[in-house]
Amino acid sequence: MELRQLRCLIAVADTLHFGRAAQRLNMLPASLGRHIRLLEESLGGRLLVRTTRSVSLTDAGREFVEAARDVVARAERLAATFREQQKEQSAVLRIGVIDSAAAGLMPQILPRLRAGLPDVAIELMEQKTIRLLPRVLTGRLDIAIVRPPEVRDARLEFRPLFSETLVVAVPQNHRLASRKVIRVKDMAEEPLIVPDRRSRPHSHDMTMKLFLEAGLTARVAQIAEEKQTIVSLVGTGVGLAIVPRWASRLGVGGVTFIDLAPDQNQTKGELALAAVWLRDTRHAARDGFMSVLEKDLAALSATA
């Protein structure tokens, strides 16, 4: 019996849906099903009743889940206590950030943070939200700046910050490069570079939603994973891209960034940012970081 198997069972018991449980745990439904099957085999009995349309707990499964919750909670408290002891011995703050926040937020906040917490060493990791959240859960990061997911793990604490404004990245010699603003309808016939949905669902879905609301179909010419790559491809003339305003700080030549103006009754182009950390844990440097961040939130939001 493994803690991972117990967590899988608890997630299914909470959602009564393999797909939603797998999404909560950041894993594939097939992998989650395998863990449940191995757990049942090790116990020698059925915990769940599964049909093509529903999932329910057996009577024995309901009793087992309650005991499993206690076991997992104890293990998490033990791990949290150990991590907190380690943090007290080492004045290090490990911060994860998505790429646009690494380019736009951190250069503004780090000088203030170092002034307010001069004895704390700062370690930064730039990654995508789907890579940062598991690292926060395992304690490898103390805090992260991410796109808040639709399905949120109950073990994580999310603090909404503000939203990044979307702009259009255009090659400098493009016919639209001299515009003050661009509307989605102006890009109706333009090839687009969009993020890979598997790694950047928020940015990908926002682009598709903006075109859908305008009654248009996005002409996807290229899919790319990294924001730096997307902006660089714009510079080579592959297409246009809808990106967060802070992407303009990536320092890619040959690209102009123009405000994206919403059409009437259309969603305003924004992508939310949130700070996230492990719930019910103490960390003085993390609290100090949040204090500095919240103090200057309005000014920081204005630059995004």
Side-chain angles (χ1 to χ4, degrees):
M1 187 187 304
E2 300 176 1
L3 282 174
R4 186 173 182 82
Q5 294 171 349
L6 298 182
R7 289 192 176 101
C8 289
L9 176 65
I10 291 168
V12 174
D14 288 343
T15 60
L16 295 180
H17 192 283
F18 268 67
R20 287 193 289 270
Q23 189 175 12
R24 174 190 289 190
L25 296 175
N26 236 351
M27 63 194 303
L28 295 173
S31 179
L32 182 141
R34 185 172 61 255
H35 283 298
I36 297 292
R37 186 173 63 255
L38 290 172
L39 178 59
E40 289 180 325
E41 289 175 359
S42 70
L43 294 170
R46 297 288 297 278
L47 299 167
L48 299 171
V49 177
R50 284 159 281 188
T51 70
T52 56
R53 295 186 177 183
S54 66
V55 179
S56 60
L57 290 163
T58 63
D59 291 340
R62 277 190 288 272
E63 292 183 13
F64 186 85
V65 165
E66 293 311 308
R69 291 185 196 278
D70 182 58
V71 170
V72 171
R74 288 189 192 185
E76 290 177 347
R77 285 196 299 270
L78 178 62
T81 299
F82 179 80
R83 284 193 293 265
E84 288 172 15
Q85 290 172 345
Q86 294 301 301
K87 288 169 186 174
E88 289 173 1
Q89 297 170 12
S90 176
V92 176
L93 180 62
R94 298 163 298 177
I95 307 172
V97 285
I98 61 173
D99 50 12
S100 59
L105 175 65
M106 298 315 293
Q108 299 184 74
I109 200 69
L110 278 178
R112 309 174 201 192
L113 187 60
R114 291 194 173 105
L117 301 171
D119 298 327
V120 175
I122 308 296
E123 294 181 2
L124 287 178
M125 170 182 281
E126 181 182 334
Q127 258 295 356
K128 307 170 190 67
T129 296
I130 61 171
R131 302 280 183 265
L132 293 174
L133 294 180
R135 286 177 167 86
V136 176
L137 277 169
T138 58
R140 285 178 287 172
L141 289 174
D142 303 311
I143 190 168
I145 307 299
V146 300
R147 303 278 182 227
E150 291 183 8
V151 179
R152 303 183 184 185
D153 194 305
R155 293 170 289 171
L156 295 175
E157 183 80 30
F158 287 87
R159 163 65 165 93
L161 299 176
F162 48 81
S163 292
E164 290 184 79
T165 303
L166 293 180
V167 297
V168 184
V170 181
Q172 284 183 346
N173 59 356
H174 193 276
R175 65 178 182 83
L176 297 174
S178 60
R179 294 282 192 92
K180 295 293 184 183
V181 298
I182 292 178
R183 299 183 184 277
V184 173
K185 63 183 179 182
D186 297 327
M187 299 183 283
E189 301 301 321
E190 297 293 335
L192 295 174
I193 307 164
V194 300
D196 185 348
R197 191 181 189 281
R198 292 170 298 178
S199 59
R200 298 183 184 277
H202 304 85
S203 298
H204 179 280
D205 289 351
M206 178 57 75
T207 296
M208 297 300 137
K209 182 179 181 180
L210 288 170
F211 274 80
L212 185 63
E213 288 182 350
L216 301 169
T217 300
R219 293 185 57 208
V220 178
Q222 181 68 51
I223 294 175
E225 189 166 338
E226 303 300 334
K227 195 76 84 267
Q228 184 88 27
T229 303
I230 291 172
V231 177
S232 296
L233 287 171
V234 171
T236 64
V238 172
L240 311 185
I242 297 175
V243 297
R245 186 186 302 279
W246 276 338
S248 63
R249 299 184 178 221
L250 292 174
V252 177
V255 181
T256 298
F257 296 88
I258 302 173
D259 288 343
L260 177 63
D263 292 322
Q264 189 175 10
N265 300 322
Q266 188 175 29
T267 299
K268 185 178 180 182
E270 293 181 331
L271 288 170
L273 277 180
V276 58
W277 58 89
L278 200 58
R279 190 184 296 275
D280 298 327
T281 58
R282 293 176 299 169
H283 195 298
R286 182 194 69 204
D287 294 344
F289 171 79
M290 284 304 300
S291 177
V292 171
L293 185 56
E294 290 175 338
K295 179 181 178 182
D296 296 318
L297 209 54
L300 293 167
S301 175
T303 70

